[in-house]
Amino acid sequence: QVQLQESGPGLVKPSQTFSLTCTVSGASINSTIYYWSWIRQHPGKGLEWIGYIYYSGSTYYNPSLESRVTISVDTSKNQFSLKLTSVTAADTAVYYCARERLFPHWIDPWGQGTLVTVSS
Amino acid sequence: EIVLTQSPATLSLSPGDRATLSCRASQSVSSYLAWYQQKPGQAPRLLIYDASNRATGIPARFSGSGSGTDFTLTISSLEPEDFAVYYCQQRSTWPLFGGGTKVEIK
């Protein structure tokens, strides 16, 4: 059974950078079929896709966040990470990592999510 | 950018009722539409992909239909565990989600 688990700071100050890590178990991140994604959900709101990475390191980002986002992968640890720079209160959200397949397209499973609060 | 509009925002029903949720795309997405269920405090769970294909382990009471711009998720007979928020999602250039429909107990 594939499981994903996010880890990282729960509180970040405005203008700073935060990083989250997703640890994948039950599957190899070296898969040629799947991509590894980050998605966030603002409190009480809908879902916003942030971007994904392939095991080779190629990435694709949501254009609205592209200038501040970096997703990286560590295949030796079966982990991938999200870095978001210059954060503001608008970046307060639950951040999910997930496995994504392009053809057919679906996102599943998801990690349990981790709340990141941006506040001084 | 393709926009997905879900309706209604809230659906008040009783266990055993049939639920019909709508998702409309601002332009054609062919059959490339998925549905997810999210319960409070939990991550979303994939229900349907490619408009009508049930994901592994999803009960047969969940069905999806539609193509082009109009899609429907139907729950044939609501079980207590089905009361949740449902999102549709399409992937044109990048994944985009609808605003969600909350199915609540009447």
Side-chain angles (χ1 to χ4, degrees):
Chain A
Q1 181 183 3
V2 182
Q3 293 184 311
L4 297 90
Q5 178 68 57
E6 306 88 350
S7 59
L11 181 64
V12 184
K13 288 182 167 49
S15 79
Q16 290 189 343
T17 295
F18 77 81
S19 293
L20 298 175
T21 295
C22 182
T23 301
V24 179
S25 59
S28 172
I29 211 165
N30 280 318
S31 170
T32 57
I33 299 174
Y34 299 112
Y35 293 70
W36 304 94
S37 305
W38 288 97
I39 299 144
R40 69 181 183 179
Q41 185 170 34
H42 296 101
K45 302 294 185 183
L47 299 158
E48 180 180 33
W49 184 84
I50 299 171
Y52 66 50
I53 191 164
Y54 195 49
Y55 79 97
S56 63
S58 63
T59 55
Y60 187 59
Y61 301 131
N62 186 324
S64 69
L65 295 167
E66 186 169 18
S67 63
R68 300 193 293 126
V69 171
T70 302
I71 298 177
S72 58
V73 65
D74 186 338
T75 56
S76 67
K77 295 182 179 179
N78 226 36
Q79 294 177 334
F80 64 106
S81 298
L82 168 73
K83 186 174 75 172
L84 187 64
T85 64
S86 304
V87 299
T88 70
D91 294 309
T92 294
V94 174
Y95 286 76
Y96 296 100
C97 60
R99 184 180 67 173
E100 184 170 347
R101 180 166 181 162
L102 296 192
F103 301 104
H105 185 262
W106 43 254
I107 301 173
D108 187 72
W110 301 50
Q112 66 183 26
T114 188
L115 175 63
V116 177
T117 302
V118 179
S119 174
S120 55
Chain B
E1 177 179 309
I2 296 176
V3 176
L4 296 177
T5 302
Q6 292 188 241
S7 62
T10 303
L11 201 49
S12 299
L13 295 169
S14 301
D17 285 349
R18 182 184 187 89
T20 303
L21 288 66
S22 174
C23 178
R24 177 164 290 178
S26 58
Q27 57 186 281
S28 177
V29 297
S30 186
S31 294
Y32 303 131
L33 190 104
W35 291 93
Y36 300 82
Q37 176 194 65
Q38 186 177 34
K39 297 179 181 179
Q42 296 185 18
R45 175 177 71 144
L46 175 69
L47 298 176
I48 302 285
Y49 66 93
D50 279 359
S52 60
N53 294 286
R54 269 191 305 276
T56 302
I58 301 304
R61 65 181 181 274
F62 291 92
S63 63
S65 63
S67 66
T69 60
D70 289 299
F71 300 86
T72 300
L73 174 70
T74 301
I75 310 171
S76 59
S77 179
L78 282 164
E79 296 288 339
E81 62 268 27
D82 299 335
F83 291 91
V85 179
Y86 294 83
Y87 293 97
C88 58
Q89 173 255 315
Q90 63 82 23
R91 190 192 194 288
S92 55
T93 48
W94 68 88
L96 285 170
F97 295 86
T101 290
K102 181 180 181 180
V103 179
E104 66 176 22
I105 299 176
K106 186 175 181 180

